[in-house]
Amino acid sequence: GQNIDQPTEMTATEGAIVQINCTYQTSGFNGLFWYQQHAGEAPTFLSYNVLDGLEEKGRFSSFLSRSKGYSYLLLKELQMKDSASYLCAVRDSNYQLIWGAGTKLIIKP
Amino acid sequence: ETGVTQTPRHLVMGMTNKKSLKCEQHLGHNAMYWYKQSAKKPLELMFVYNFKEQTENNSVPSRFSPECPNSSHLFLHLHTLQPEDSALYLCASSQTLADYNEQFFGPGTRLTVL
């Protein structure tokens, strides 16, 4: 079967750095996405990785290792507004998006 | 209006009711999707439309019936639902079905089935 694993919940302090991990087992791989979803709102796109390595976009970075079936989202200089759920999704060989259950990130002052 | 809009935002219905969810995208995209989001569960893809043609139906019960009259509009017709169908129903669109295309989501319809 296909599976995406992420921690259910994480807590971090304002101004700090947090790393949210995602491991996947899918039938084929055609890219990995990270989305942010604030409570009661739509998911919004954060990043896309298809090749190994680190993609940096401001305070957010996303890393991919295809051989290990592993990705992480790194958030720096955390702000209170970063409190949200972070969803990892992998596009499989049929080009379907397989979603993780999301990681709820709680930022404390 | 910009982006992806969904109506209604909230819906409460009985098991014998018939209702419809509406989605509209103003992005000029060609692919549209229906997802079900239940608490603490992964997003479940229900239906995919590409250029108005249905390309995916992920074993969704027949009490959910999609309709895509054109590339900008998507409907989900509901009838004789069960309480376990209570969830957030999200509509999304993307430029094409290509692997690199991100999906843009609407705010969702929070459905409660009594």
Side-chain angles (χ1 to χ4, degrees):
Chain A
Q2 308 205 88
N3 196 48
I4 309 284
D5 286 315
Q6 314 178 225
T8 303
E9 187 174 299
M10 298 181 70
T11 301
T13 304
E14 190 177 14
I17 298 174
V18 71
Q19 178 175 311
I20 302 174
N21 295 326
C22 170
T23 58
Y24 62 89
Q25 298 94 38
T26 57
S27 56
F29 178 84
N30 282 300
L32 184 144
F33 294 81
W34 283 97
Y35 282 78
Q36 180 191 59
Q37 185 176 25
H38 285 100
E41 297 184 14
T44 55
F45 170 78
L46 287 178
S47 68
Y48 171 69
N49 294 69
V50 66
L51 299 176
D52 291 350
L54 189 67
E55 294 278 345
E56 296 187 75
K57 195 185 286 187
R59 293 189 299 115
F60 292 8
S61 302
S62 56
F63 172 83
L64 174 68
S65 169
R66 288 171 296 170
S67 62
K68 295 181 180 178
Y70 168 70
S71 172
Y72 67 73
L73 181 68
L74 191 71
L75 291 75
K76 302 177 185 177
E77 302 169 18
L78 286 171
Q79 302 174 10
M80 297 304 292
K81 67 179 182 179
D82 297 329
S83 292
S85 288
Y86 292 85
L87 311 179
C88 174
V90 172
R91 198 178 293 282
D92 68 9
S93 56
N94 294 320
Y95 293 92
Q96 281 208 24
L97 270 181
I98 311 301
W99 294 82
T103 298
K104 182 178 180 181
L105 178 63
I106 299 168
I107 309 297
K108 295 186 174 179
Chain B
E1 290 277 14
T2 59
V4 182
T5 58
Q6 290 186 244
T7 55
R9 293 295 308 276
H10 301 272
L11 178 62
V12 179
M13 59 187 289
M15 289 191 284
T16 58
N17 293 159
K18 288 185 181 180
K19 297 286 184 183
S20 295
L21 309 184
K22 179 182 176 182
C23 174
E24 184 173 1
Q25 57 97 0
H26 308 269
L27 300 168
H29 289 169
N30 297 309
M32 295 187 77
Y33 313 79
W34 278 117
Y35 285 94
K36 176 183 179 182
Q37 187 175 36
S38 303
K40 299 186 179 180
K41 289 187 177 180
L43 282 172
E44 297 174 46
L45 179 65
M46 300 175 72
F47 302 104
V48 180
Y49 278 83
N50 190 36
F51 290 97
K52 302 189 300 178
E53 299 298 319
Q54 185 174 310
T55 60
E56 291 290 338
N57 175 344
N58 278 0
S59 303
V60 180
S62 59
R63 57 186 184 268
F64 294 92
S65 174
E67 178 189 1
C68 188
N70 55 61
S71 293
S72 298
H73 293 85
L74 187 63
F75 295 89
L76 188 63
H77 303 300
L78 316 171
H79 64 98
T80 58
L81 294 191
Q82 305 298 312
E84 60 264 29
D85 296 323
S86 298
L88 181 68
Y89 287 85
L90 291 165
C91 173
S93 71
S94 61
Q95 184 63 52
T96 68
L97 293 180
D99 52 352
Y100 52 84
N101 281 166
E102 67 194 81
Q103 294 182 9
F104 291 78
F105 286 83
T109 295
R110 174 68 62 185
L111 174 66
T112 303
V113 182
L114 301 177

